[in-house]
Amino acid sequence: MTAQRAPGGAVSAASNAAPTDVPYEDPYADPYEDPYDAVVLAGGGARRLGGVDKPGLLVGGRALLDRVLGACAGAGTTVVVAGPRPTARPVVWAREEPAGAGPLAALDAGLRRTGAEQVVVLSADLPFLGERTVRSLLVALRESGADGAVLRDPGGRDQPLVAAYRSASLRREIAKLSAEHDGLTGLPLRSLTARLELTRVADAVASFDCDTWDDIAAARARIREHGHVLDEWISAVKDELGIELDVDTGLLLDLARDAAHGVARPAAPLTTFLVGYAAARAAEGGGPEAVAEAARKAAALATRWAEEGSSDSGPDGPGGAPGAVPEGKPDAAPDVTPPGARPDPGQDARGDMRPDAG
């Protein structure tokens, strides 16, 4: 694959103009109406990277291979054609015969380990591929009736390693090619795709791949941009912790804000942690709804807490008249501590515990 303009404005050495295609819109609520398997090609020599282990390179703290595996998490079986290594998700391993025989031989080796009627075929160097793009490819394949749905890059080129295919079509044409050429060694992928009826899906972001160090640098810069960093971080944490649950970041940020403003700053992270813990203890099948319900309860509590604090600071104080002795405690002295000397809610006897304390 050839690298294109890096999303977010960063440009790699081989950038091209933006595509004229209109991105495919997924009209289905259920993204995986049809079962599918996935084949990820993670071999190759990475010559332009000096022979480094490209699938293991980190972008946003996650290996490129793990990022791609996250995009095809809905697959029934995921086959990675490469030497075995630790991965964030369980996979089946396969190798082409002989080793280094090329991408078509690798695809054949991976395809032999799948059983679904649809197969998503991906390279392992796609830092911005997401489930939404995989969904669009599967929908385009289903709706078009074609043999395959391939991603088109900003330069108008087909990317056969970012595609969804009908498994029967691939097996049929691979068998013919093998018979015609006495094997698949050295055959390019275009010798296969030229025999297939294809439909196209445009996605300038997902088609960006990492072939050079400039591409790696552009990808690492893009995920730290303001509009992307939070989603990228949440995805990385979920992947690291093995969490499949969709996270409504807006909901949790609102809760953190309410807790910080209405209670104390350290209450923000502690409250969101407790919400997650409560959701995990919810009845099986609670899912995102359990998080939303726990967040709603915690937010309501923070609101009540803040309102109570506001009423206590009224002109007459909590007991009515200024400096009144609380009922039932005749010997108690009135609170005459100057307002500026009262500890912040984020303080205790050990000193200021606020994260921003200087």
Side-chain angles (χ1 to χ4, degrees), residues 264-280:
R265 290 184 182 181
L270 296 173
T271 303
T272 52
F273 165 77
L274 292 172
V275 164
Y277 184 74

Side-chain angles (χ1 to χ4, degrees), residues 314-358:
D316 291 336
V325 176
E327 183 178 354
K329 296 186 179 180
D331 296 329
D335 183 2
V336 294
T337 306
R342 293 193 181 103
D344 183 274
Q347 293 178 319
D348 64 11
R350 294 169 294 175
D352 195 339
M353 302 296 290
R354 293 174 296 169
D356 62 334

Side-chain angles (χ1 to χ4, degrees), residues 57-144:
L57 289 176
L58 301 181
V59 173
R62 301 162 68 199
L64 284 172
L65 175 57
D66 283 335
R67 296 177 74 91
V68 172
L69 293 178
C72 58
T77 298
T78 299
V79 183
V80 178
V81 186
R85 69 180 66 209
T87 55
R89 297 176 183 275
V91 302
V92 175
W93 297 98
R95 288 305 302 263
E96 71 274 20
E97 293 290 343
L104 190 54
L107 173 57
D108 179 55
L111 194 61
R112 291 176 184 274
R113 307 297 297 272
T114 67
E117 294 181 2
Q118 285 77 227
V119 59
V120 171
V121 178
L122 306 168
S123 63
D125 61 351
L126 301 162
F128 306 125
L129 181 69
E131 288 186 86
R132 183 176 180 274
T133 300
V134 171
R135 201 159 53 228
S136 294
L137 290 167
L138 290 166
V139 171
L141 177 67
R142 182 169 66 238
E143 289 295 291
S144 67

